[in-house]
Amino acid sequence: TKALWVLPKDGKPATATLRAHALSVLGLIHLHTGRLAAAAPAFTEALEIHRALGQRRLEAATLNNMGWIAVGLGRYEEALLHY
């Protein structure tokens, strides 16, 4: 999470992309270590950034990860919305 402190929300696409990548990595760490509730906010913020920048491929990857969180929490209907 320290990497997020040094990446300002300055509105620059390059900085925003780096922030989204850092958030995605953080979310993946939480996801793969079973901390599903902690992963969700990281992926949610990354998704907002990817959508704002029109990064469709990364948006899809983030939605897929959010789907895995929902599956892990037993929320199958919600998971379908992400896939």
Side-chain angles (χ1 to χ4, degrees), residues 13-43:
T15 306
T17 297
L18 286 173
R19 184 173 181 80
H21 284 302
L23 287 161
S24 292
V25 169
L26 179 62
L28 286 169
I29 290 168
H30 287 315
L31 178 64
H32 291 292
T33 56
R35 296 187 305 255
L36 303 179
F43 286 132

Side-chain angles (χ1 to χ4, degrees), residues 25-62:
V25 169
L26 179 62
L28 286 169
I29 290 168
H30 287 315
L31 178 64
H32 291 292
T33 56
R35 296 187 305 255
L36 303 179
F43 286 132
T44 299
E45 187 177 342
L47 180 64
E48 291 170 3
I49 294 168
H50 294 314
R51 284 183 170 164
L53 296 176
Q55 299 170 328
R56 302 284 294 170
R57 184 184 62 79
L58 297 171
E59 177 184 345
T62 304

Side-chain angles (χ1 to χ4, degrees), residues 71-82:
V71 167
L73 294 172
R75 297 187 222 159
Y76 304 110
E77 295 295 321
E78 179 185 334
L80 289 173
L81 298 174
H82 295 298

